């Protein structure tokens, strides 16, 4: 009988690995999911995703805010550090929150460094051509940057709501242009959110670095979802989300059973007491 073989050790995912993962060059689609704490990081790692985004969506799905504008760089560093302490193999992407990269390059680099020191291996920021100088400043400081175009939730007030972007030829062209500019500025990958499928495809075809879609169609080089959305724990289901579990319902059932057991005297039992 042959000896059981140890599970193969998976190499950590790095920025160069991700940068090279273009589907048209034969790479498998990249998988990114959000996580905001150590249990979330353990789940993402065990599920063998490629990247963990410590997203500012923590504001909506964990902290109970209406939008992402309320979280600060200190909040994000706190969550990045919690994820990093789980020592996951996927690449940790720290999301730069609103107003942490809008003032000047020095402030942007300081804030990027705060997330790197907390344990991120790269940062993500939202916006098109206007962000190119900040991307260049971060890259010059050895901080790899992921871009994010299309529906950029930090622009909710300027956009007048969470709406599909890139509708119409002109809007689609300007998203393709924004992606090219961000790539030239040094982004190693670009998230494309809530755009018509053909715009996701056009952006993906236009650039050499991978696109990570969220509501941007199947032709992107990878996909990202918010973990609490896909687990059925966020109380929301945007059109682009597929719910793979109903953990909120399962959690309610478990806690309600515990409550009933306490009230009936069924918990704790003898085996749950010290003697
Ligand atoms: O913060 C986040 O979760 C994000 C994803 C939606 C891409 O930016």
């Amino acid at each position: 009988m042959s000896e059981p073989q140890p599970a193969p050790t998976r190499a950590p995912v790095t920025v160069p690995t991700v940068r090279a993962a273009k589907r048209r060059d034969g790479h498998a689609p990249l998988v990114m999911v959000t996580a905001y704490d150590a249990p979330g990081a353990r789940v993402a790692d065990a599920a063998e995703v490629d990247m963990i985004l410590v997203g500012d969506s923590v504001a909506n799905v964990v902290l109970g805010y209406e939008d992402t504008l309320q979280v600060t760089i200190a909040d994000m560093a706190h969550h990045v550090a919690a994820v990093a302490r789980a020592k996951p193999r996927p690449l940790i992407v720290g999301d730069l929150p609103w107003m942490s990269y809008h003032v000047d390059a020095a402030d942007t680099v300081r804030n990027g460094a705060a997330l790197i020191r907390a344990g991120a291996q790269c940062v993500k920021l939202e916006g098109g051509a206007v962000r190119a100088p900040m991307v260049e400043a971060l890259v010059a400081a050895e901080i790899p940057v992921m871009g994010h175009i299309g529906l950029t939730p930090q622009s909710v007030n300027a956009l007048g709501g969470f709406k599909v972007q890139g509708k119409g030829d002109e809007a689609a062209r300007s998203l393709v242009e924004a992606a090219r500019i961000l790539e030239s500025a040094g982004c190693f990958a670009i998230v494309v959110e809530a755009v018509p499928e053909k715009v996701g495809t056009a952006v993906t075809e236009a650039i050499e670095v991978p696109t990570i879609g969220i509501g941007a169609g199947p032709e992107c080089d990878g996909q990202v979802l918010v973990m609490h959305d896909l687990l059925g724990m966020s109380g929301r289901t945007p059109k682009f989300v597929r719910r793979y579990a109903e953990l909120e319902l399962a959690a309610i059932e478990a806690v309600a059973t515990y409550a009933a057991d306490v009230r009936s005297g069924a918990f704790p039992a003898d085996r749950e007491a010290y003697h």
Side-chain angles (χ1 to χ4, degrees):
M1 210 166 83
S2 60
E3 288 290 308
Q5 296 301 305
T9 25
R10 291 174 292 128
V13 182
T14 65
V15 165
T17 330
V18 171
R19 185 190 284 117
K22 205 67 188 162
R23 278 175 68 197
R24 66 176 172 232
D25 297 332
H27 288 273
L30 290 162
V31 182
M32 183 159 84
V33 69
T34 64
Y36 315 106
D37 54 20
R42 285 199 304 273
V43 168
D45 190 8
E48 303 194 8
V49 305
D50 300 303
M51 289 174 281
I52 295 176
L53 170 63
V54 188
D56 62 354
S57 52
V58 68
N60 310 94
V61 298
V62 172
L63 303 178
Y65 292 117
E66 290 287 311
D67 56 44
T68 56
L69 305 180
Q70 307 304 325
V71 285
T72 64
I73 195 73
D75 295 328
M76 293 309 302
H78 177 79
H79 288 281
V80 166
V83 165
R85 281 193 286 269
K87 298 190 174 34
R89 178 206 65 110
L91 186 74
I92 301 177
V93 184
D95 213 2
L96 283 168
W98 180 59
M99 285 310 289
S100 69
Y101 55 95
H102 303 67
V103 177
D104 60 32
D107 194 45
T108 302
V109 171
R110 248 192 313 276
N111 287 324
L115 296 193
I116 298 294
R117 289 204 167 123
Q121 282 131 354
C122 58
V123 299
K124 176 172 85 56
L125 54 72
E126 296 182 5
V130 70
R131 304 292 174 228
M134 302 310 184
V135 173
E136 283 166 5
L138 287 161
V139 171
E142 316 299 347
I143 300 175
V145 185
M146 179 179 284
H148 183 161
I149 58 171
L151 172 55
T152 47
Q154 293 172 14
S155 322
V156 57
N157 292 321
L159 297 175
F162 299 104
K163 299 176 181 164
V164 175
Q165 301 297 302
K167 286 180 171 174
D169 290 350
E170 191 43 47
R173 262 195 299 276
S174 83
L175 279 179
V176 170
E177 190 52 21
R180 287 203 177 108
I181 291 168
L182 289 172
E183 178 182 30
S184 303
C187 284
F188 72 93
I190 300 180
V191 169
V192 185
E193 179 166 354
V195 300
E197 190 178 315
K198 65 177 192 195
V199 178
T201 305
V203 171
T204 302
E205 283 172 357
I207 58 177
E208 297 299 321
V209 297
T211 53
I212 319 290
I214 173 162
E219 298 301 325
C220 293
D221 297 300
Q223 299 290 329
V224 54
L225 280 180
V226 168
M227 173 138 19
H228 291 62
D229 288 342
L230 79 88
L231 293 181
M233 294 182 73
S234 63
R236 60 178 201 177
T237 313
K239 181 175 163 60
F240 52 73
V241 168
R242 185 179 300 175
R243 277 158 86 141
Y244 287 88
E246 294 297 339
L247 289 200
E248 191 157 319
L249 292 180
I252 292 169
E253 208 173 291
V255 176
T257 307
Y258 158 68
D261 282 356
V262 171
R263 290 180 186 130
S264 71
F267 178 85
D270 193 54
R271 67 176 183 281
E272 286 141 353
Y274 293 108
H275 296 292

